Amino acid sequence: MIFSQSLLENAVNKAFVKESDNDEDDDLPESRALPAGTKNYMTVAGYRALNDELMRLMNVERPEVVSVVSWAASNGDRSENGDYLYGKKRLREIDRRIRFLTRRLESAEVVDPAQQPNRDQVFFGATVSYCDSRGEEFTVTIVGVDEAEPLAGRISWVSPVARALIKAREGDTVTLRTPAGIEELDIMDVRYPDP
């Protein structure tokens, strides 16, 4: 089947129409809500990583998917066209992630932990080694909500452990309140990146 240029353009344009005016779909599962009234603190490295992801999505992945969807739309019946259907789905995912990243980066308050003047006290960006009441040692770095990777030792500044550690100093014992009860944490070391 041969499409006229205007029919093809119309088909391609329809492929890129947002299906819903509801922005609730922008809240991806990996997005973590900030507590009401708080700032979106982020380290320099975290800001750079999110910005790099945004640029890659906008400048590489989205154009590639648009090209595939455009090509697939020109092949005729879209109801059974896997490239077209998958491409549209992927394009919605990319656009949703772009909107999410754009909002997060616009609201970010970038903090450089290397510039922390009180290097003996725990603040945002600190790497803290502590020991729990069972004698287990842990090392965590306090980072922004969007940078947190608990299994890699990067915890969000709004997490219960980070909240217990904030403002403490090396040698202090802090109280961590959990659903399982109260736990005492002994702070062994506080470090920041070199300026």
Side-chain angles (χ1 to χ4, degrees):
M1 176 180 263
I2 300 175
F3 283 95
S4 72
Q5 184 63 28
S6 63
L7 282 176
L8 180 59
E9 287 173 4
N10 219 2
V12 171
N13 286 341
K14 284 183 182 178
F16 304 112
V17 173
K18 184 176 176 187
E19 292 189 352
S20 165
D21 290 332
N22 183 355
D23 280 342
E24 288 176 19
D25 64 345
D26 290 348
D27 294 325
L28 301 174
E30 66 267 18
S31 70
R32 298 167 190 123
L34 291 167
T38 62
K39 296 184 179 183
N40 184 18
Y41 292 112
M42 201 174 290
T43 64
V44 175
Y47 184 89
R48 191 176 307 121
L50 289 183
N51 192 56
D52 289 349
E53 179 186 357
L54 177 62
M55 292 300 110
R56 182 180 41 75
L57 287 172
M58 288 177 25
N59 299 326
V60 178
E61 287 191 42
R62 192 175 195 289
E64 287 174 359
V65 174
V66 166
S67 176
V68 169
V69 170
S70 177
W71 168 81
S74 70
N75 288 334
D77 183 16
R78 290 176 270 179
S79 65
E80 295 181 17
N81 186 330
D83 288 328
Y84 177 80
L85 296 173
Y86 174 76
K88 277 197 54 158
K89 179 179 184 267
R90 180 67 185 132
L91 194 58
R92 284 191 303 273
E93 292 167 355
I94 290 171
D95 287 344
R96 187 178 309 124
R97 183 70 179 167
I98 286 172
R99 286 190 303 273
F100 172 78
L101 290 171
T102 300
R103 278 199 315 269
R104 286 298 224 206
L105 290 169
E106 286 173 352
S107 70
E109 183 153 329
V110 180
V111 176
D112 185 357
Q115 302 303 316
Q116 176 56 251
N118 301 327
R119 300 175 81 76
D120 64 333
Q121 197 170 8
V122 179
F123 291 107
F124 182 85
T127 298
V128 183
S129 295
Y130 66 90
C131 186
D132 67 10
S133 57
R134 293 178 301 282
E136 290 185 64
E137 290 185 23
F138 299 91
T139 299
V140 296
T141 301
I142 301 171
V143 297
V145 172
D146 298 314
E147 312 171 67
E149 293 180 50
L151 296 178
R154 299 171 56 81
I155 62 171
S156 164
W157 67 275
V158 296
S159 69
V161 172
R163 287 183 177 185
L165 296 173
I166 294 286
K167 295 189 180 175
R169 298 177 191 278
E170 187 175 321
D172 286 355
T173 298
V174 297
T175 302
L176 171 64
R177 294 181 189 335
T178 69
I182 295 175
E183 175 131 20
E184 299 291 318
L185 307 178
D186 296 319
I187 299 175
M188 303 175 335
D189 186 40
V190 178
R191 297 182 310 279
Y192 290 91
D194 292 328

